[in-house]
Amino acid sequence: MKTRKLMLGNEAIAQGLAENGCRVATSYPGTPASEILPALADLKNETGVPAHVQWAVNEKVAFEIAYAASITGLRSAVSMKQVGLNVASDPLMSAAYMGTRGGFVIISADDPGPHSSQTEQDSRLMAMMAKIPVLDPDSPAQAKDMTALAYDISETFQIPVMLRPTTRVCHSRQDIQAGPVPLADAKADFKKDPTRWAATPKFRYQLHKQLETKLNDIAEFEKTAPVRLNPEVVSSKAVVTSGVCAAYVREVMQDSGLMEKISLYQVLQPYPLHLRFMEELVQHHEDVLVIEETDPVIEMQLADRHRVKGKLNGVVPGVGELLPERILEIIGGFAGVEVPSVRLPDVPGRRPTLCAGCPHRASFFAIKRAVPKGIYTGDIGCYTLGLNLGAVDTVLCMGAAISQAAGFYHAYKDQPDPPDVVATIGDSTFFHAGIPALVDAVVQNVRFVLVILDNSTTAMTGNQPTPASGIGACGESLTTVDIDAVVRGCGVRFCREADPYQLDALTGLLKEAVSYARENGPAVIISKHPCLIHRRGAARDVVSVPVAVTDACDGCGYCIRHFECPALVLKGDSGRVTIDPMACSQCGVCIHVCPKHALIEQKNN
Amino acid sequence: MNTLKQQIIISGVGGQGVLFVTRVMAEAAIAKGLPVFTSETHGMAQRGGTVVSHLKIGTFASPMIRPYQADGMISLKAENIAIHGSYVKPGGWVVVNSEHDVETDLDVTICRIDADGLAQSSGQARSANLIVLGFALARISRQAADAGHRFFCDVEDIRSVLEAQLSRKKPMLDASVRAIETGYNQGINKEGVCDGLYTV
């Protein structure tokens, strides 16, 4: 009997990798890609498949590990989010030239919308720049099928292949048929060939020529040719689509009866676009509408532009997610038929906030208290939400808290009375991209304070381990790297640890660090307290401090504005703050926040 | 060939268990041999922000529900009816977790349960989501039956899913089943809180 399993898009991709014999898989977590590697780790643990599955310190390192496995002849994969691909772009460009031996799949998950990213960038453009083929799945099921296709292309043409799912593919669930996972050992067999694997510029020119030849051949590869979804329809109009938009288009064209009236093509491989397809479009159709997320990658490759409607002439929006209701309007306009125009009202929802009891909130509060007039450079992670508390002034990309702090210092240093600069970065992000920036700050004697918000996990993306965790993707024991030792090894002479729940002590230490930094150079505080979500369910090693609100509370709202704990609620006209017992983690930090001393520890409980 | 098609919005804030409720319902569909598609909110929004899941049972191409197409909505927060209520088609249903009556201009039937209150009084602060689900199952099944069709699953289907999912976590399973039953009993009980739009 066939059993269908409910799978997240990312789990379907992992299933596809496992079914197709992936033997080395690496990743750095990032939404919407984070669940691919853990799903593969689960499959490894369940089936005993001899694969190496690991979280790497960043995407560049992850890429290079998986790529090396590929050139030994093994099938491998690296997964990341679109901004992570920027970090891995250096090896990506070169790997495209040198090519692969065992199939190598680069999964770069895009986030149109953007739901939880700094950019809406389209990884398909990165594939185009690197000159590698890219596949654009419309659903979890197709994402799984496309991993097989990706390995096929990669090995047929000896080229890295990108699989580019988007948020709605990664984070939708579908019933999917799981197939068997082959357990046979694959043998690594690296054949030395310095003209290829260590090519000097002279050979790189040859490799570039080979790459162009490969691309021409891939543009004729039958298995990735665009699919005509309603071949019986003869129409002067055609819709061309790919990715999750193809799923939306199918559904809205079926529901509105346009499936019988307008030709519909789904592009599986947006780059390189099939040459014969481009000719066919021009031969058979007067008007072509291209619907794709996020950038006009397919559209730009269609040469006969005057027939084409899409993002370049504003028919399709060039920014933001293309939701099915919007697509229905666009296709209705293209077809010249009335369709209902429906939009959700633009009601702002609740903004994200740090969890009740999150140690980062306490750290930010202490920073604001100790250095009220500082410039606060921030970074990527849960603690980006410190901006709600006014304790994060900049967020650029991974690791930039430290380099931007240096930039602010250099910009202000010749002015009288330069501002104090306090940078915050999470433990995982510090390992990812903070260390080189800290080395630079030490060398340049940047006078700033760095607070490493160490919650002992990568919380935002689902609590993946860090190099300090001592645990691997499959639960295996690993060696740990000590943050304090790294900081000292970078040459920082002031490095102290504090528990952010001890708010007064941390505030004092921050003041000390600021005075040190003003005179001497970088000062680092490791503000260490485990993530609440990570700890949930495990034995709690902290003392619960239940809090009571006394009559001294006059409802001034200071705690809500400056501490923003979701467990503190000021209801309409009750005049007093109340504590939501459903949300409160009993961390007790708010006791030190109230200027009226109205929050006290509740005794006899 | 089963032609059943149902579309449901599940809405709440990060930390309330929106994804868990969605997952349990989707598993129930699979167990009944029905095709299923869900779309979830992950990442930053889950840190206390607004979270919504789309659940589509039956043959669909895409994971997203269009505005005014959903049969109904399970709202774990009262304020979310204003945010996501417009997904529900005219004449559809909304089951909401709220201490107070909820006002809306939408043409929907609203059934209200104070699941937070019930969860707290029964000492299971984190199970409000399943209390709402249990309540919804009682009410939606009844409403669907009145309209002459069936809801895709019932409380027994959900119980089986929980048993399969939580078989290795006995205390959690017991608490979850208790929560589902608490909500369900409120839903079938004529004295159960309901804002009057829906007549039992």
Side-chain angles (χ1 to χ4, degrees), chain B residues 12-55:
Chain B
V13 301
Q16 278 193 306
V18 169
L19 296 196
F20 186 69
V21 166
T22 312
R23 176 87 195 265
V24 168
M25 293 177 82
E27 292 282 0
I30 295 233
K32 298 181 89 70
L34 297 164
V36 62
F37 236 133
T38 74
S39 175
E40 309 177 344
T41 312
H42 286 228
M44 182 178 271
Q46 281 200 297
R47 296 283 175 265
T50 304
V51 172
V52 63
S53 283
H54 298 221
L55 173 65

Side-chain angles (χ1 to χ4, degrees), chain A residues 171-173 175 251 350 353 459, chain B residues 38 40 47 50 56 61-62:
Chain A
H171 289 161
S172 50
R173 284 182 201 270
D175 52 310
E251 209 163 284
R350 246 181 215 225
T353 175
Chain B
T38 74
E40 309 177 344
R47 296 283 175 265
T50 304
K56 297 170 90 168
S62 103

Side-chain angles (χ1 to χ4, degrees), chain A residues 4 6 35 168 171-175 247-248 251-252 255 325 344-345 347 349-350 352-353 382 459 533 581-582, chain B residues 26 30 36-40 42 44 47 49-50 56 61-62 64 66-67 77 79 82 86-87 116 120 125-126:
Chain A
R4 296 179 74 82
L6 184 67
E35 298 82 7
R168 301 298 184 183
H171 289 161
S172 50
R173 284 182 201 270
Q174 196 179 9
D175 52 310
Y248 301 156
E251 209 163 284
V252 302
D255 289 358
E325 55 267 31
L344 285 178
V347 185
R350 246 181 215 225
T353 175
C382 282
I533 295 182
M582 310 270 286
Chain B
I30 295 233
V36 62
F37 236 133
T38 74
S39 175
E40 309 177 344
H42 286 228
M44 182 178 271
R47 296 283 175 265
T50 304
K56 297 170 90 168
S62 103
M64 301 293 287
R66 300 206 298 279
K77 262 277 188 255
E79 67 207 47
S86 305
Y87 278 111
D116 285 350
Q120 261 170 271
R126 305 205 62 82

Side-chain angles (χ1 to χ4, degrees), chain B residues 76-153:
Chain B
L76 300 182
K77 262 277 188 255
E79 67 207 47
N80 286 32
I81 295 179
I83 303 167
H84 297 130
S86 305
Y87 278 111
V88 181
K89 65 188 180 192
W93 52 267
V94 173
V95 170
V96 60
N97 171 23
S98 176
E99 200 182 340
H100 306 288
D101 284 351
V102 183
E103 303 259 320
T104 178
D105 297 336
L106 297 165
D107 173 20
V108 294
T109 297
I110 295 188
C111 286
R112 175 176 71 80
I113 180 168
D114 179 16
D116 285 350
L118 284 163
Q120 261 170 271
S121 62
S122 62
Q124 317 170 49
R126 305 205 62 82
S127 63
N129 56 348
L130 289 177
I131 294 179
V132 178
L133 176 58
F135 179 75
L137 288 169
R139 287 300 165 109
I140 307 161
S141 311
R142 194 180 276 251
Q143 180 158 342
D146 288 351
H149 53 259
R150 280 178 62 80
F151 191 58
F152 82 92
C153 71

Side-chain angles (χ1 to χ4, degrees), chain A residues 226-230 238-242 246 263-267 277 280-281 284-285:
Chain A
V227 181
R228 194 166 176 182
L229 295 172
N230 49 2
V239 175
V240 175
T241 183
S242 82
S263 295
L264 176 59
Y265 297 86
Q266 180 173 1
V267 171
F277 169 68
E280 188 186 327
L281 267 189
H284 297 292
H285 306 287

